Amino acid sequence: MRQPLIVGNWKMHKTAAEGQALARAIREGLHATTVEVVVCPPFTALPAVHAVLHGSPIQVGAQNMHWEDAGAFTGEISPVMLKEWCRYVIIGHSERRQYFHEDDETVRRKVAAALRHGLTPILCVGETLAQREAGQTGAVVATQTRRALEGLTPEQVAGLVIAYEPVWAIGTGRAATGADAEEVIQRRVRGTLAEAFGAEVARRVRVLYGGSVTPENIGEFVCRPGIDGALVGGASLKAESFLGIIHETARAKA
Ligand code: 13P
């Protein structure tokens, strides 16, 4: 059985003090649940949020990292640095691909580096609106998934998390339908994993949906057997809506 997982991606929001307040509110509002919860603050808030959540069931993740351990890479953060504060790291988010020109090779290096240091990658894949309209959704998602994982062992792949985030659904208020997300996840994400690493790996990897998830629509996704939870942007910035999503997920997966 795969444990349900809800991840909050705070993106470029929250100072350290604001992040601490939000983390405290989430910690206080979280009832005992079967859902694993992760929050991903910006780098500058990681130590402060880690301090608040230490000893709680809520895990901390980062939003990005460099693939080298150290070196002359001005402005970058390495997996060695993240390990002090995090268990998880989001890799290949569409905003990184779109605005910072990360390609499948960059993403592959980052995934491998995270695993090398014991961080769990949350690998993001998903098609743009133009790709969807051109009928390329399946091919894009399969290629991104396959290329990000090249060179890994089945055992390494089984432990990671993949988030299917259609780019057109991010921050638009226009979520995918649950049926659509389930179809892409089962056929293209798990299908690709099965081909490359075997059916058992495809069954073990946790796969999330992301894109305009709210407490109102989360049930539509997590009621599907192939969708293990969500990667949440905007609705993770307020404790009330983030907790609502967690509690709805627990109910749906019970
Ligand atoms: P929204 O939930 O704001 O659409 O963002 C989704 C996302 O990109 C999470 O990584």
Side-chain angles (χ1 to χ4, degrees), residues 87-217:
R87 281 260 194 92
Y88 286 87
V89 57
I90 297 171
I91 291 177
H93 191 280
S94 65
E95 288 150 16
R96 302 290 324 164
R97 295 180 193 254
Q98 189 179 347
Y99 304 128
F100 303 97
H101 312 295
E102 290 194 14
D103 58 15
D104 289 334
E105 173 57 17
T106 318
V107 171
R108 186 194 65 73
R109 289 183 189 201
K110 291 184 177 192
V111 168
L115 288 168
R116 216 165 36 241
H117 288 284
L119 291 161
T120 300
I122 300 169
L123 165 68
C124 298
V125 299
E127 82 287 2
T128 63
L129 185 59
Q131 289 166 332
R132 165 155 289 235
E133 285 173 346
Q136 295 167 350
T137 298
V140 167
V141 170
T143 302
Q144 287 178 344
T145 304
R146 189 168 36 73
R147 299 216 35 214
L149 307 179
E150 266 165 21
L152 300 179
T153 66
E155 204 44 48
Q156 285 177 311
V157 175
L160 58 77
V161 175
I162 299 181
Y164 168 55
E165 297 205 306
V167 179
W168 48 270
I170 294 177
T172 57
R174 199 178 136 217
T177 65
D180 239 29
E182 172 82 345
E183 155 89 7
V184 175
I185 286 172
Q186 295 287 42
R187 283 193 54 201
R188 305 305 181 169
V189 179
R190 292 196 199 280
T192 302
L193 293 174
E195 265 173 38
F197 300 98
E200 175 59 19
V201 170
R203 258 197 306 277
R204 280 171 58 193
V205 171
R206 288 190 289 177
V207 186
L208 313 178
Y209 166 77
S212 297
V213 169
T214 65
E216 289 71 38
N217 68 16

